[in-house]
Amino acid sequence: MSSNKHSSELRRLALSVLQPGFVGTEAPDWILRDIGDGLASVVLFSRNIVSTEQVAGLTAQLRSENPDLIVAIDEEAGDVTRIESATGSSRPGNFALGTVDDPALTEAVAADLGRQLRAAGVSLDYAPSADVNSNPDNPIIGVRSFGSDPEVVSRHTTAWIRGLQSSGVAACAKHFPGHGDVAVDSHHDLPAYPAGRDEIAAQALPPFRAAVAAGVHAVMSGHLLVPAYDPDLPATLSRRILHGLLREELGFDGLVVSDAIEMGAVTRRYGIDGATVKAVGAGADAICVGGESAEEATVALLVKALTAAVTGGELPEERLAEAAGRVREFARWSAWLRASGVAGEAGEAGEAAGDGIGHVAARRAVRLTGAARAALPLRAAPHVVELAPVTNMAIGKETPWGVAEPLRERLPGTTSVRVRGQELEEGTVALESCALEPAVGRPLVIVARDAARHAWMSRAVTGLTAARPDAIVVEMGLPGAGTAAAAQIFTHGASAASGVAAAEALTDASAL
């Protein structure tokens, strides 16, 4: 083979293992060129989405260059939504579903999401999160997990995969070998999971074993250090974990996808190019990139790094070819799955039903204390104080959440304020003037999101309920010892559907 022909083939192989994002609601010319040159996948984010119909047009445009193109999306429903980022998800997330603990409901919610994604032309969803949230202080998983019990997480991971794939969209279990027992956000730095192998086998691995048994064809690695298996390299870059544990021990023979390769957990030490080469060398078949680094130059940099690593002897060409082969195999299978899926009326219409299975599920996940039930329904328009944390990067800053808006629709005259911890710490906002004074003579509703994880929020809830013992607290994150209030409502997630369910509880608790 001539050197030019070999270079061209190497470039094609390198392109085929990348799953890049891009900016815009139409396909840029460089993406279409790269697809023609061998790029086998793209990933969509909220910046690419206006409506399901618009995404359908975009995916059709992308597939004009390759009908089997893998179109991926990071759509978990609940707090992490892309397809409904502008409105908030009309379906609750994993923790709400795990709280209800009805696998048939979970399967139905995932199937409903799958119909919408399939109608949009999506063929791979980076979901479900199969992480067991065993550390309540986890800054990155939380309500994205089905819960803290491996058995609960396993059965709902199974149900979610079955539901999604029944609608023609491939699932992807993440974040292997389990991101639930960490205390550092891997978007910024490298978290560690210091448990021994026996504990990992009992706590973190069961949902991934269940996912493999359920027929998942893609698994996403996590950027975390697991010293019991590899004391030096994070899972995404570790052959001991991706090959030894995932392939040999768990028997997974599908597509291994990296978590976003630009995340600080791997780039701080190796750079985005070095991390990409190491991930493929370790056994990753596809590299997700472009959540933040979505430029043509990033793809060019990674292609150059992969081809140089092969020619320089750092990365065996056989490994790159093997990865590309797995991508091709997955692309063929996912195209078949998409063609065989059931679209259904809601998906074909491009919208989830307004009072569909997502809202049913969100209602079923609401829990009220006895004091809250006794105090409801509200008889007058309340003042709502929403305590807003800084969310991790997986949650879109543009995604609306809360209870004030759906409550205002039901009780005209409802007023509201959103308060951030930094404002309280700086003294630019005082709870007395923005929360208590407007609520004089009216009901006070306090909305929290993981109060137990945020000291400032816990203090605010405690102070407000001390001043107003009749206040009702709505917790939209993980329940915890963050408040002593007697009247509490728990939604187990902050999706739009969960906000509506909370508003319904406040105005008609008997409906739940």
Side-chain angles (χ1 to χ4, degrees):
M1 186 183 295
S2 70
S3 61
N4 284 345
K5 187 174 182 182
H6 186 235
S7 303
S8 176
E9 178 59 22
L10 274 184
R11 181 173 185 273
R12 194 168 191 87
L13 289 175
L15 273 171
S16 71
V17 303
L18 301 180
Q19 295 193 336
F22 58 89
V23 176
T25 55
E26 295 184 358
D29 290 342
W30 69 267
I31 276 282
L32 296 174
R33 282 197 306 271
D34 281 352
I35 294 171
D37 289 346
L39 185 69
S41 316
V42 297
V43 56
L44 304 180
F45 293 91
S46 55
R47 62 181 176 233
N48 306 120
I49 295 167
V50 174
S51 67
T52 308
E53 294 87 352
Q54 167 265 323
V55 178
L58 170 60
T59 55
Q61 182 189 16
L62 291 163
R63 287 203 175 97
S64 66
E65 297 290 335
N66 174 7
D68 286 352
L69 182 76
I70 300 164
V71 178
I73 195 169
D74 186 21
E75 174 60 54
E76 299 177 15
D79 290 29
V80 179
T81 180
R82 312 299 177 214
I83 200 74
E84 295 183 295
S85 64
T87 57
S89 178
S90 58
R91 305 167 185 93
N94 286 1
F95 188 54
L97 294 171
T99 297
V100 177
D101 198 12
D102 177 354
L105 179 68
T106 295
E107 186 169 341
V109 169
D112 183 59
L113 174 61
R115 287 190 291 272
Q116 185 180 16
L117 294 181
R118 179 180 178 271
V122 171
S123 55
L124 169 63
D125 187 7
Y126 295 148
S129 167
D131 306 294
V132 179
N133 197 64
S134 47
N135 182 352
D137 291 327
N138 191 323
I140 185 66
I141 302 300
V143 296
R144 299 168 66 191
S145 167
F146 290 111
S148 58
D149 181 337
E151 290 187 7
V152 171
V153 177
S154 294
R155 61 175 166 262
H156 289 279
T157 294
T158 295
W160 215 95
I161 290 167
R162 286 179 177 165
L164 188 76
Q165 295 191 166
S166 74
S167 294
V169 177
C172 177
K174 64 185 185 185
H175 307 80
F176 189 80
H179 215 306
D181 193 9
V182 301
V184 172
D185 185 342
S186 51
H187 288 94
H188 305 297
D189 211 339
L190 180 64
Y193 180 21
R197 290 195 180 197
D198 288 347
E199 183 180 339
I200 293 170
Q203 186 74 18
L205 294 182
F208 291 98
R209 292 187 185 276
V212 173
V216 80
H217 279 58
V219 169
M220 177 177 280
S221 65
H223 299 329
L224 68 159
L225 196 68
V226 189
Y229 286 93
D230 193 326
D232 302 314
L233 293 168
T236 297
L237 314 183
S238 171
R239 183 166 176 79
R240 296 179 194 175
I241 292 173
L242 297 188
H243 185 80
L245 179 57
L246 179 56
R247 294 218 183 275
E248 293 185 342
E249 188 174 325
L250 269 63
F252 178 68
D253 62 359
L255 187 75
V256 176
V257 185
S258 79
D259 203 350
I261 205 67
E262 64 262 49
M263 289 165 63
V266 291
T267 58
R268 282 167 69 101
R269 183 169 178 184
Y270 302 103
I272 192 171
D273 47 351
T276 296
V277 170
K278 285 185 175 296
V280 174
D285 305 306
I287 304 299
C288 172
V289 63
E292 299 158 71
S293 304
E295 306 81 19
E296 179 181 8
T298 299
V299 173
L301 172 67
L302 300 189
V303 167
K304 182 180 178 181
L306 288 166
T307 55
V310 171
T311 56
E314 181 185 354
L315 176 65
E317 186 171 347
E318 296 77 17
R319 168 79 274 269
L320 183 60
E322 177 189 47
R326 281 216 180 87
V327 171
R328 284 194 302 273
E329 184 180 342
F330 181 88
R332 285 193 295 268
W333 173 78
S334 62
W336 167 83
L337 186 70
R338 189 164 53 90
S340 63
V342 180
E345 293 182 8
E348 292 290 9
E351 302 294 337
D355 195 35
I357 191 65
H359 286 88
V360 170
R363 287 189 202 105
R364 289 184 61 186
V366 172
R367 301 289 182 269
L368 281 69
T369 62
R373 198 171 286 278
L376 297 174
L378 296 177
R379 300 295 183 189
H383 182 58
V384 181
V385 181
E386 294 178 334
L387 303 172
V390 176
T391 55
N392 64 64
M393 290 178 66
I395 300 171
K397 288 182 171 58
E398 74 284 353
T399 304
W401 68 278
V403 177
E405 285 304 317
L407 196 53
R408 192 173 287 116
E409 293 174 8
R410 287 156 180 80
L411 286 175
T414 295
T415 56
S416 65
V417 64
R418 184 162 286 191
V419 179
R420 294 165 178 80
Q422 185 177 358
E423 295 169 329
L424 293 179
E425 289 163 6
E426 292 173 348
T428 55
V429 167
L431 291 176
E432 178 70 33
S433 57
C434 76
L436 293 175
E437 289 176 6
V440 171
R442 304 168 57 193
L444 175 63
V445 176
I446 304 161
V447 182
R449 194 172 180 180
D450 288 324
R453 279 197 55 243
H454 302 283
W456 72 267
M457 193 182 298
S458 182
R459 286 194 300 270
V461 172
T462 299
L464 288 170
T465 54
R468 283 287 301 267
D470 63 331
I472 296 172
V473 177
V474 180
E475 172 57 79
M476 302 193 79
L478 291 176
T483 172
Q488 297 183 67
I489 297 174
F490 301 98
T491 62
H492 304 98
S495 69
S498 298
V500 169
E504 289 174 343
L506 287 161
T507 54
D508 183 12
S510 65
L512 297 174

